[in-house]
Amino acid sequence: MIIKVKSILKRFMPLSTKWAVEQNQILMDEIVSLRKMLASLQENIDKESKKIDGSINMKLEKQNERLLDVKSYVAKTSGRTDFKIEKYQKHLHSVEDEIKSQLVKINKQEDEIKSQLVKINKQEDEIKSQLVKINKQEDEIKSQLAKINKREDEVKSQLAKINKQEDEIKSQLAKINKQEDEIKSQLAKINKREDEIKSQLVKINKQEDEIKSHTFALKKQSYKTESQITKISQNIKFIEHLKDYDYYKNLNPKEYQNELKKWYKNRTGKRLNLDNPQTFNDKINWIKLHDSTPIKTKLADKYEVREWVKEKIGEQYLIPLLGVWDSFDEIDFDALPNKFVLKCTHGCGWNIIVKDKSTLDLIDARSRMEHWLNVNFAFWNGGLQLHYKDILGRIIAEEYLENKDDNLFDYKIYCFGGTPKFIRYSTIKDNELVGTYYDLEWNRLPFTRKGINGSYLAEKPENLNELIDIAATLSYGFNLSRVDLYLLRDGSIKFGEITFTPNNGQYKWDQPEYDLILGQQLQL
């Protein structure tokens, strides 16, 4: 019955007014059929109920007859024992229990029949509800048809307007075709003019190329002129230094102290105290005279120091070496890469940085290197950095270090007695040398060297602790040393140099009191 009702409900999808009417009629026929089935079912239920009631009454009558027979039998056999009477009574109770059980089953069946009737009534209500919805949908369909008819009239009106516009467009197209012919005529004239302009542009481009070629030649000549001026300036400075160089080289060592005081006074305008050194500069200059040991000579040698660094911290921290030579003429430049750095091993700042080998002026490079090789750096510039005195002058070539932005990060770590104290961060920012000082926690310190931008705030390096540990290892055993390390963007660290008389002992601080403050931290 339920399946049949569901089958009926599947037909409730409205497609049109006619369909809704047909479905409504079918549904009404189904409801009539369903009611007939309900009536037949009720009739069958009544018959079954009467049969069950008759069966129960017949069983009750038979049981009563048996009960009377038992009572009669008991009366006749009153002489029998009480035990048999009790047995019959139990049998009687058993029969009564069975009758009661049958009655319970009958009641349960009756409840199930009533439940089915309730479900049937509920389904009938649902069918009525569906009929209401169908009627509502039918009304909606009629409303939609009315709207469609109205829209159809509007569309017809729009079509009439479109036809009118189409006639106007055809008229406009006729005018446009006429204008198009005129435009084609104008284009022909324009194309002819364009060809003339292109011809003129070819001539202009040719003239422009000639101008660019001439400009490039002028720039090249200007670059050569500037380069020559720079070389002349460097040669002039070199010659000026040579005047003092012979004087200091031929000095009696007993005169070193007095000459160093004169040199310092001339450079800084201050008096140098070597008898009881107190300031940072005093103590650096005292170290020059009294603590220039053989180990410092070895480590100031840019070639010899490499083996020492390899033993202390590992070869991975060294800048790759490309070659070592006793003279410039021994260098095979064809075997060198396009970028490299030439260094004299026995001095400081005697370097030639080559970013493009094809532009290297070999004659000038040879002249500079030969000049440097013939000079003892200990007496150069009057500073008397005596630990350079016994270094063998050679030339080395190292790999050119660079980051993507062609800028290196230079960390100069000042160590007192083998303990790192502070760091100078150096780089080039907007074509200006930056030199900012930090403590070991990367807090900016309130001083810097005069003439150097110390206001730039650099980011704390991720491997700061590694930089500090390397400096501590390399500075162990020295009262003063400055360990210079380069940090690349890939995180690798490279050793630059270890300096025992930084800045030649002639610091000029923007906060002058720090000469004494730093000097008090340095123990000789």
Side-chain angles (χ1 to χ4, degrees), residues 35-203:
R35 285 178 175 172
K36 288 180 179 181
M37 290 175 67
L38 288 173
S40 175
L41 181 61
Q42 184 64 43
E43 184 179 349
N44 290 334
I45 290 169
D46 292 339
K47 289 179 179 180
E48 289 296 325
S49 179
K50 288 178 180 180
K51 286 181 180 181
I52 291 168
D53 289 342
S55 175
I56 292 169
N57 290 332
M58 286 178 67
K59 286 182 179 181
L60 286 173
E61 288 177 358
K62 287 180 179 181
Q63 292 297 329
N64 287 330
E65 289 177 358
R66 289 180 65 185
L67 183 60
L68 291 174
D69 291 339
V70 170
K71 287 180 179 180
S72 175
Y73 179 78
V74 169
K76 290 178 180 180
T77 59
S78 58
R80 295 180 181 180
T81 62
D82 294 334
F83 174 79
K84 290 184 177 182
I85 293 171
E86 184 178 352
K87 184 177 180 182
Y88 281 110
Q89 287 177 343
K90 287 181 179 180
H91 177 72
L92 182 61
H93 289 309
S94 175
V95 172
E96 288 178 353
D97 290 339
E98 185 181 350
I99 292 169
K100 289 178 181 179
S101 175
Q102 291 294 327
L103 286 172
V104 169
K105 291 180 181 179
I106 291 168
N107 290 331
K108 186 175 180 181
Q109 291 175 349
E110 186 175 353
D111 290 338
E112 290 176 354
I113 292 168
K114 289 179 180 179
S115 175
Q116 291 293 328
L117 287 172
V118 169
K119 289 180 181 178
I120 291 169
N121 290 331
K122 186 176 179 181
Q123 291 172 350
E124 185 177 354
D125 292 337
E126 290 175 355
I127 292 169
K128 289 179 180 178
S129 175
Q130 290 294 330
L131 283 172
V132 171
K133 290 181 181 179
I134 289 170
N135 291 332
K136 186 176 180 181
Q137 289 174 348
E138 183 179 353
D139 293 337
E140 290 176 355
I141 290 169
K142 289 179 180 178
S143 176
Q144 290 294 329
L145 283 173
K147 291 179 181 179
I148 289 169
N149 292 331
K150 185 177 179 182
R151 181 59 182 165
E152 186 178 353
D153 294 337
E154 292 175 354
V155 169
K156 288 179 180 178
S157 176
Q158 290 293 329
L159 283 173
K161 292 180 180 179
I162 289 169
N163 290 331
K164 186 176 179 181
Q165 289 175 347
E166 185 177 352
D167 294 337
E168 293 174 355
I169 289 168
K170 288 179 180 178
S171 176
Q172 291 293 328
L173 281 173
K175 294 178 181 179
I176 290 169
N177 290 331
K178 185 178 179 181
Q179 290 174 347
E180 186 177 352
D181 294 336
E182 294 175 356
I183 290 169
K184 287 179 179 178
S185 175
Q186 291 293 327
L187 282 173
K189 294 178 182 179
I190 290 169
N191 289 333
K192 184 178 180 181
R193 180 59 181 163
E194 186 177 350
D195 292 337
E196 294 174 356
I197 291 171
K198 286 179 179 178
S199 177
Q200 291 293 326
L201 283 173
V202 169
K203 294 178 181 179

Side-chain angles (χ1 to χ4, degrees), residues 396-438:
I396 62 170
E398 289 182 340
E399 185 179 281
Y400 178 77
L401 294 183
E402 62 180 332
N403 285 317
K404 290 182 180 179
D405 52 5
D406 197 29
N407 192 9
L408 283 178
F409 306 115
D410 184 5
Y411 297 86
K412 301 180 183 296
I413 305 173
Y414 291 75
C415 305
F416 297 167
T419 301
K421 292 293 184 179
F422 58 93
I423 305 168
R424 175 186 164 185
Y425 170 82
S426 297
T427 190
I428 300 297
K429 191 71 175 177
D430 299 327
N431 296 320
E432 182 183 17
L433 177 62
V434 171
T436 312
Y437 288 81
Y438 296 89

Side-chain angles (χ1 to χ4, degrees), residues 212-241:
K212 285 181 179 179
S213 177
H214 184 64
T215 302
F216 177 76
L218 289 174
K219 285 183 177 179
K220 189 174 181 180
Q221 183 62 40
S222 175
Y223 174 76
K224 287 182 178 179
T225 303
E226 289 178 1
S227 178
Q228 288 174 351
I229 291 171
T230 301
K231 292 173 185 177
I232 292 168
S233 177
Q234 289 173 346
N235 288 332
I236 291 171
K237 288 181 180 179
F238 189 83
I239 292 168
E240 288 176 351
H241 287 315

